[in-house]
Amino acid sequence: MKKIGSVLLLCAFFVCAGGEAVKKVMFVGDSIALGVGAKPRENRFSTVAVKLLNEHAGKTAYVEHNIAISGSNLCESMWPGKRTSGYPYRLQDVLKAKPDILVLQHGVNDVTTGSSLGDFGWSYRHFVRTVKEQLPGTVIVCMTLSPGIRSGASLQWQEQANAIIQEVAAKESTLLAPVSLVMNDRNNCYPDRLHPNNDGHRIIAEALVKTIEENQPQSPEKFDFVIRQAGIYKICNYVFTVSDEAAENGITCFLDITPDSFKYAGNGKVDVRTPIRSFFHEVTFQSDNRDCVQKFSWHKYLGCSFMTLSSTGGTPVQIKFVPVKGPDVKK
């Protein structure tokens, strides 16, 4: 009788009062997704996010299914134990569970255990692509990495990994939760330098809920790129060179990037090269703040533009490429 009662309770738990099926939100990740740093564990971002989704829905419309493993990598690894990696082992759990929403939080441990950026990018995209192919009804949410407090080579790896995650989200048309953006400069949220505390988990949960509810997938034709560190980043055939000045003074954001426009907000010099052969005719630019564009040129042979942008003081500036009028424009 006890067993029958438990089964009935479980069935009731997965069906709303109105007979609608409850959506399963599955979380794959490491100790951060598991909730290390949250006290008590119910304050972890996955639990808080599902609670917020239900509050906004005004009913129990979502249920949490968290299969995160502390210490796990995305790339296949023997650490912290056999068959703990996200790819390929947790991937099999996802395919069996058939979640309505999949949240992928991985990468923080890959930098520590020595995963190469090539292996990380390959594993991440294959994870996402396999879920898309076998579970076409599942909404996938990629999360940029929780920044923690890192320096040196680890920080450089992490930022390149964030570029990879953002490109995978665009190429595979998934949702993208900008965790690295919302947790930027929140060192007080990382008492042990790695795991967010209750405040940090809450901020991540709110960003995740906003992403799910807005439901605006990235795409190669319109995507966002946010970066915290200096370096050269290539994403969807754009090339962004972020200077030390820009990185030292804040985060650099390129939003709503399309083949012929984007919004830029930054605090220092950034060079941008548009995709090669993106423009078959000579182009110039329009902007609501032309002073931020220090240099601009169009390369006839490559069919792309080069530009140098200066600080916008953190205020988004719209940049749009427009054809040059006149007899020299090719028909």
Side-chain angles (χ1 to χ4, degrees):
M1 188 68 184
K2 182 178 180 181
K3 184 176 182 180
I4 294 175
S6 299
V7 171
L8 291 176
L9 179 61
L10 184 63
C11 291
F13 185 63
F14 281 95
V15 178
C16 295
E20 299 176 11
V22 175
K23 292 184 177 180
K24 184 190 300 182
V25 187
M26 194 169 195
F27 295 84
V28 179
D30 50 41
S31 58
I32 293 174
L34 185 63
V36 175
K39 300 177 181 179
R41 188 61 58 86
E42 288 73 21
N43 286 316
R44 63 184 179 183
F45 80 81
S46 61
T47 303
V48 174
V50 171
K51 181 180 178 181
L52 289 174
L53 287 169
N54 285 327
E55 287 178 357
H56 296 174
K59 59 184 178 182
T60 303
Y62 302 87
V63 64
E64 175 189 6
H65 187 181
N66 191 317
I67 61 168
I69 297 177
S70 183
S72 65
N73 300 267
L74 175 74
C75 303
E76 185 170 4
S77 172
M78 295 298 291
W79 188 88
K82 294 181 179 179
R83 304 178 66 85
T84 59
S85 300
Y87 183 86
Y89 305 116
R90 299 290 72 71
L91 173 60
Q92 300 308 313
D93 296 333
V94 173
L95 299 179
K96 291 177 183 177
K98 298 180 173 60
D100 298 284
I101 301 173
L102 171 66
V103 180
L104 184 55
Q105 179 275 315
H106 254 304
V108 171
N109 289 319
D110 288 271
V111 59
T112 303
T113 57
S115 299
S116 69
L117 285 166
D119 192 11
F120 180 78
W122 186 93
S123 299
Y124 203 104
R125 191 169 188 183
H126 272 259
F127 193 119
V128 171
R129 184 172 285 178
T130 302
V131 174
K132 283 184 60 180
E133 291 175 350
Q134 298 194 31
L135 302 176
T138 296
V139 174
I140 302 172
V141 186
C142 298
M143 299 177 66
T144 50
L145 305 185
S146 176
I149 303 174
R150 294 184 183 272
S151 61
S154 293
L155 184 56
Q156 293 176 11
W157 189 101
Q158 183 167 284
E159 288 305 287
Q160 291 290 349
N162 274 331
I164 288 171
I165 292 170
Q166 291 175 89
E167 183 169 49
V168 170
K171 290 289 185 69
E172 299 298 335
S173 299
T174 76
L175 299 182
L176 178 66
V179 174
S180 64
L181 174 61
V182 299
M183 292 299 289
N184 184 54
D185 286 338
R186 295 186 183 271
N187 290 355
N188 59 314
C189 290
Y190 294 97
D192 68 354
R193 303 180 65 87
L194 180 62
H195 301 100
N197 57 17
N198 287 356
D199 290 338
H201 276 277
R202 178 78 183 191
I203 293 168
I204 294 172
E206 290 173 346
L208 177 59
V209 169
K210 185 173 186 290
T211 297
I212 291 172
E213 292 182 337
E214 289 182 347
N215 192 29
Q216 297 180 353
Q218 302 286 289
S219 78
E221 299 301 314
K222 188 175 183 180
F223 63 95
D224 298 332
F225 177 62
V226 176
I227 210 71
R228 301 169 61 240
Q229 289 297 304
I232 301 174
Y233 303 94
K234 300 181 179 182
I235 175 169
C236 294
N237 302 119
Y238 270 85
V239 181
F240 301 100
T241 304
V242 180
S243 67
D244 291 333
E245 173 198 14
E248 290 169 359
N249 293 322
I251 202 161
T252 300
C253 300
F254 291 89
L255 306 175
D256 298 333
I257 304 171
T258 72
D260 57 6
S261 67
F262 57 77
K263 294 177 184 176
Y264 161 67
N267 297 282
K269 177 185 173 183
V270 178
D271 292 324
V272 180
R273 192 199 76 187
T274 61
I276 291 177
R277 303 304 294 169
S278 54
F279 304 115
F280 291 95
H281 308 306
E282 183 178 358
V283 295
T284 185
F285 72 94
Q286 294 177 348
S287 174
D288 48 14
N289 181 359
R290 295 183 66 90
D291 291 339
C292 84
V293 182
Q294 300 297 298
K295 296 179 182 179
F296 180 86
S297 63
W298 173 72
H299 196 290
K300 181 178 180 180
Y301 177 74
L302 296 177
C304 64
S305 291
F306 296 85
M307 60 196 318
T308 298
L309 305 174
S310 62
S311 173
T312 70
T315 301
V317 171
Q318 180 73 53
I319 306 290
K320 184 176 181 180
F321 304 107
V322 294
V324 171
K325 305 296 182 181
D328 293 332
V329 176
K330 296 180 181 179
K331 301 297 182 183

